[in-house]
Amino acid sequence: MNKEMINKLKNMNVNIVAVSKYHTKEEIDAVAKEGLITFGENRVQKYDPKYKWHIIGHLQTNKVKYIIGKVEMIESLDSIKLAKEIEKQAAKHDVIQNVLVQIKISKDELKTGLPIEETDSFLKEVSTYPHIKLKGFMCVASHTDNIQLIEEEFSMMNDLYKNYKDLYQLDTLSMGMSNDYELAIKHGSNTVRIGSAIFGARN
């Protein structure tokens, strides 16, 4: 665990999601003692109601029933099929589920997300679902040494966020990870997802 990094992040005036999916519950508890209490997971095996949990990474529809009512935010909504399942399960639990729409900003074939050109029709539909609350956007930039490309992607996301922010009362732009969070913040990110820079290398 990198206490110096945690203190640096806490002074940056952004929301920090500590990406704990490759780390143990004991490591999560240690980071929480340093003042970070929002954790990013792709499952809820380590669920503890003391902390806030964000689902990051591709979410399969058959896993939705296990997380509704436990997670503060689903950061990876990327299809109408998934939205319908979140709506169905949230209705069953009588909760309103906060979501971020994951936009595919990178040309990388392995990256998931909603194609950016479908944003308008997607938001129009999902905004009618009574048990889903649209909070904003998430993206994963290209994994590259090309700083200019990363900045272009983050800038495009910031423009997208500004376009829809007032219309849908959005408040979250989640972009930036351990290797590019400073560039993301420069381009308007208010939520960063930091794993290895906080926890150290993956187990």
Side-chain angles (χ1 to χ4, degrees), residues 14-21 25 28-29 31-32 35-44 46-56 67 69-75 97-98 135 191-192 199:
V14 291
N15 298 313
I16 302 146
V17 179
V19 177
S20 52
K21 62 184 181 178
K25 180 61 167 55
I28 290 170
D29 292 336
V31 166
L36 300 186
I37 58 161
T38 302
F39 295 97
E41 286 282 334
N42 52 356
R43 294 171 298 193
V44 287
K46 298 170 221 164
Y47 176 71
D48 182 332
K50 291 198 300 280
Y51 309 139
K52 295 176 180 177
W53 300 92
H54 286 209
I55 288 293
I56 57 175
I67 64 172
K70 292 182 175 178
V71 301
E72 180 190 53
M73 183 86 75
I74 294 171
E75 291 210 17
Q97 179 63 59
N98 293 325
K135 297 292 284 179
T191 301
V192 293
F199 286 97

Side-chain angles (χ1 to χ4, degrees), residues 33 47 66 70 81 95 100 144-145 148 157:
K33 285 194 175 111
Y47 176 71
Y66 301 116
K70 292 182 175 178
K81 181 185 173 190
V95 295
L100 301 181
T144 175
D145 294 328
Q148 186 183 348
M157 279 302 300

Side-chain angles (χ1 to χ4, degrees), residues 126-161:
V126 176
S127 66
T128 67
Y129 293 11
H131 296 89
I132 290 180
K133 173 63 180 157
L134 287 165
K135 297 292 284 179
F137 297 116
M138 183 268 258
C139 77
V140 180
S142 295
H143 186 67
T144 175
D145 294 328
N146 184 342
I147 303 288
Q148 186 183 348
L149 176 61
I150 295 169
E151 292 211 50
E152 283 170 4
E153 290 171 354
F154 285 153
S155 177
M156 201 185 301
M157 279 302 300
N158 193 19
D159 288 344
L160 190 75
Y161 175 64

